[in-house]
Amino acid sequence: MTTIALTYDLRDDYLARGFNEHQTAEFDRVDTIDAIERGLRTLGYSTVRVGSAYDLVSALASDASWDLVFNICEGLYGYGRESLVPALLDHYRIPYVFSDPLTLAVTLHKGVAKRVVRDQGVPTPDFVVLENVDQAERVDLPAFPLFVKPVAEGTGKGVASSCLVHDRNALVERVAALIAEHEQPVLVEAFLPGREVTVGITGTGENARVAGVMDIVLNRDADPACYTYRNKEECEQLVEYRAVTGAESEEPVQVALAAYRALDVRDAGRVDLRQDAHGRYQFMEINPLPGMHPEHSDLPILCSLNGISFLDLLSRIMRSATDRIAAARQPGRRIAA
């Protein structure tokens, strides 16, 4: 029987170590790990819970090894924080689910990700990355309003309605606040005023397929203008999710797949798009380590709306991982698994 190790950052573990709620916002709840483990066992795998990078380092130092690792570790520090666990596993030649260190580092930095997809012809709004407040005084984008957010955060951290700025003074104020709070550069981009959707994808490369497109509709009690951290955390009360199908889904499917493949995302991911003033969908960002809570995370929610169960989603992810790992092990192949 194939043995799969689970690597993850559990919020409760980090809170017990003294980290605060804000620092652990991206980390998982125990019921997420329970659901993944239960699903993998139902699919016929044996599982071992390892935990965070701290726990993985200890296990590897003790000569532990497994057939495969189901990795959803987000990490703590720097642009390479999501790359740490995959890099360790690459060093020990242990295959794993989801993307490799390069893709995880590139996609975490929103500015770098946008440069890559833009180079491949994927539409994305005009943007700049600012290292300090003085640069905000010289931003030369076509017109206000602009949108400002941390360059390397997830789960909507740092995203609030105040990130939508309508003049230079508001821009400078918001840039200063975000740099001080998150201790990293910020992305400033042209605001896209239209519909926001997220596109779920499973598979790798030419075998990648869209699982569904989901419309994100904010209700009257939600933070306006964007999918903020609060709106995500309290989505059950503040957000309505709707499946986008038929002709309406054709353009977002095309844009999302192009971005997913351009960034070499593997096994599964989620692409966030928004319409510009002319109704054209544009790339905002991509999540190659999508949240996996069956009822609270966007990828499982959109799959459910499109008739794909959580168990089926796990099955698709595992099939993608095992197929590409087997292909990489064929004689003459030097592609990393």
Side-chain angles (χ1 to χ4, degrees):
M1 180 180 290
T2 301
T3 299
I4 299 179
L6 306 180
T7 52
Y8 50 84
D9 290 309
L10 199 62
R11 177 177 282 192
D12 288 346
D13 289 347
Y14 283 86
L15 291 173
R17 287 186 173 129
F19 293 93
N20 61 39
E21 291 285 343
H22 178 77
Q23 291 170 311
T24 62
E26 290 189 74
F27 296 165
D28 286 295
R29 300 169 358 194
V30 69
D31 51 345
T32 300
I33 313 307
D34 291 343
I36 293 171
E37 183 170 51
R38 187 165 54 247
L40 291 174
R41 289 182 174 178
T42 300
L43 292 172
Y45 299 102
S46 172
T47 60
V48 176
R49 294 196 186 195
V50 174
S52 71
Y54 296 110
D55 304 307
L56 178 63
V57 168
S58 296
L60 293 172
S62 300
D63 294 325
S65 187
W66 315 274
D67 298 307
L68 187 69
V69 175
F70 196 100
N71 170 54
I72 54 172
C73 281
E74 300 280 357
L76 276 169
Y77 307 114
Y79 298 139
R81 59 187 174 84
E82 293 181 347
S83 303
L84 174 59
V85 165
L88 285 168
L89 295 172
D90 279 346
H91 181 73
Y92 282 86
R93 307 300 292 165
I94 300 172
Y96 50 89
V97 169
F98 296 131
S99 293
D100 67 9
L102 176 59
T103 290
L104 293 177
V106 166
T107 56
L108 183 62
H109 191 294
K110 296 175 176 61
V112 174
K114 283 163 69 71
R115 293 183 188 112
V116 171
V117 300
R118 184 177 62 187
D119 183 63
Q120 295 298 306
V122 178
T124 193
D126 291 335
F127 70 96
V128 293
V129 175
L130 305 184
E131 304 279 345
N132 55 62
V133 179
D134 290 342
Q135 292 174 334
E137 298 280 4
R138 303 188 298 274
V139 167
D140 186 24
L141 290 173
F144 286 92
L146 301 173
F147 199 82
V148 190
K149 57 187 174 184
V151 80
E153 293 290 0
T155 318
K157 285 175 68 175
V159 176
S161 296
S162 58
C163 292
L164 177 60
V165 297
H166 295 270
D167 57 50
R168 182 77 56 180
N169 289 339
L171 172 63
V172 171
E173 180 181 330
R174 182 54 17 200
V175 167
L178 288 176
I179 289 177
E181 181 178 359
H182 296 276
E183 299 181 323
Q184 63 182 263
V186 298
L187 179 83
V188 180
E189 62 185 341
F191 178 64
L192 301 174
R195 181 185 201 178
E196 181 169 345
V197 302
T198 190
V199 183
I201 300 174
T202 60
T204 303
E206 290 304 311
N207 294 320
R209 298 291 182 269
V210 168
V213 181
M214 185 171 73
D215 202 356
I216 297 166
V217 183
L218 307 178
N219 70 28
R220 64 182 182 182
D221 296 320
D223 294 338
C226 58
Y227 200 21
T228 65
Y229 175 71
R230 172 175 172 260
N231 288 341
K232 289 187 177 187
E233 287 295 290
E234 302 175 29
C235 63
E236 292 84 358
Q237 294 78 42
L238 301 177
V239 181
E240 179 184 352
Y241 299 112
R242 302 172 185 167
V244 180
T245 58
E248 282 190 297
S249 69
E250 291 176 3
E251 185 184 354
V253 162
Q254 181 182 22
V255 174
L257 275 174
Y260 186 94
R261 289 168 176 157
L263 291 160
D264 290 329
V265 178
R266 306 190 314 198
D267 302 336
R270 211 192 67 247
V271 185
D272 296 334
L273 310 174
R274 195 161 176 141
Q275 287 177 315
D276 63 18
H278 304 286
R280 295 187 294 255
Y281 282 99
Q282 302 207 26
F283 172 86
M284 293 200 304
E285 56 188 81
I286 191 167
N287 188 343
L289 288 180
M292 291 294 293
H293 190 283
E295 289 91 32
H296 187 74
S297 297
D298 286 352
L299 180 59
I301 291 171
L302 77 81
C303 283
S304 179
L305 289 174
N306 287 276
I308 301 169
S309 69
F310 185 71
L311 188 62
D312 190 14
L313 171 60
L314 279 177
S315 178
R316 293 182 185 202
I317 292 169
M318 293 304 302
R319 186 162 57 248
S320 172
T322 53
D323 285 352
R324 67 172 170 78
I325 291 164
R329 289 173 172 168
Q330 291 177 1
R333 295 290 295 274
R334 295 178 61 87
I335 298 173

